[in-house]
Amino acid sequence: MAFAPAPRASVSDHVFGQLRDAIVSGRYRPAETLPGERELAAAFEVNRHAVREALRRLQQLGLVRVSQGGATRVLDWRIHAGLDLALSLARSGDVLPVETLLRDMLEMRACVGIDAARLCAERGDRAVTAALVTAAEEYGALAPDLDRMHEANIDIWRLVVRGSGNTAYLLAFNSLIAGTLAVGDVPPDARAAELLDVAGHRRLAAAIAAGQGTAAARHARALLTAPVTTPTPTPAPQEEARA
């Protein structure tokens, strides 16, 4: 397989990115062996240290396994990879052969958020729930600035997940918000139905503060499954007709 020579500014990143994309797109299939370090270094026109670093990162993502003998065998990402792979791809252009990745990330976000809201209501401490109520009250003052509401929305959900007391949810939340993947790269104006629902955010906070787990989950579901739309581009202003 031919590879493009690596730019000098980010040698290891370049090698890592091309090998990662070749694996997840199926050009290298599970159980195949990658070329050796020397061959890859020659193909990319880099030193072996850059190749070794790239292979280490691929192994951390669950895409390859480097054996003691030095052979690097491709793994099936469907079995071995985690959310870190999605985050890596989101930052550089998605080549994962899954057409519904955006939908899937939004559904995972909703599942985590709904149950975290229930747990936060049932076992969140007073300091967290009080901070959540305050944050929800202040949230409305940001409307209709969707960019600022987006940032405040993340802060609200961070309090909810923190109050849930579930460390796995907290780690998943941290992964989901990295690189804006909390919303699968959906721009804030496409999430206007969710972000502008100020009353819904206040109902969620009130239910949690009251210890009403079922109601909190219901309000979280209403927010996190709100329609996502495709923003309509603003037409360019027409030039004034010349006299």
Side-chain angles (χ1 to χ4, degrees):
M1 180 176 297
F3 293 107
R8 299 298 100 185
S10 54
V11 172
S12 180
D13 286 348
H14 178 85
V15 176
F16 163 75
Q18 285 210 35
L19 288 175
R20 175 203 60 203
D21 293 353
I23 291 169
V24 299
S25 64
R27 283 181 281 162
Y28 282 113
R29 307 187 69 81
E32 281 190 45
T33 301
L34 291 183
E37 285 185 9
R38 189 184 304 276
E39 186 178 347
L40 287 173
F44 285 111
E45 298 181 12
V46 300
N47 59 46
R48 293 179 66 176
H49 174 76
V51 171
R52 197 172 298 120
E53 173 63 19
L55 293 176
R56 182 188 64 80
R57 292 171 62 187
L58 291 171
Q59 185 165 244
Q60 288 178 335
L61 284 183
L63 296 180
V64 301
R65 177 176 292 125
V66 182
S67 68
Q68 285 186 335
T72 303
R73 196 167 299 279
V74 175
L75 300 176
D76 188 338
W77 64 265
R78 296 169 183 81
I79 298 173
H80 298 278
L83 278 179
D84 286 348
L85 174 59
L87 297 175
S88 174
L89 291 167
R91 297 188 187 104
S92 60
D94 179 19
V95 298
L96 199 66
V98 177
E99 295 179 359
T100 59
L101 184 59
L102 170 57
R103 180 206 67 188
D104 298 346
M105 297 303 297
L106 289 169
E107 288 177 351
M108 179 178 178
R109 172 179 174 256
C111 288
V112 170
I114 290 166
D115 200 49
R118 177 186 65 83
L119 292 173
C120 186
E122 294 175 354
R123 61 194 185 197
D125 62 50
R126 290 184 179 181
V128 172
T129 55
L132 178 60
V133 170
T134 299
E137 285 299 318
E138 295 174 346
Y139 181 74
L142 302 176
D145 188 333
L146 291 175
D147 289 327
R148 292 180 66 194
M149 295 182 85
H150 164 70
E151 295 301 325
N153 176 267
I154 290 177
D155 293 338
I156 286 173
W157 283 105
R158 186 180 295 281
L159 285 168
V160 172
V161 176
R162 175 182 163 194
S164 74
N166 187 307
T167 302
Y169 283 172
L170 179 61
L171 296 175
F173 175 82
N174 290 339
S175 292
L176 285 167
I177 66 170
T180 71
L181 206 57
V183 290
D185 288 327
V186 179
D189 52 347
R191 297 172 54 226
E194 174 194 346
L195 294 177
L196 291 175
D197 189 357
V198 174
H201 285 81
R202 289 175 176 165
R203 285 193 293 268
L204 170 64
I208 289 175
Q212 299 171 348
T214 301
R218 184 173 68 252
H219 296 315
R221 179 181 297 277
L223 289 170
L224 296 175
T225 59
V228 175
T229 60
T230 302
T232 302
T234 304
Q238 295 182 353
E239 294 185 5
E240 294 183 4
R242 298 193 178 190

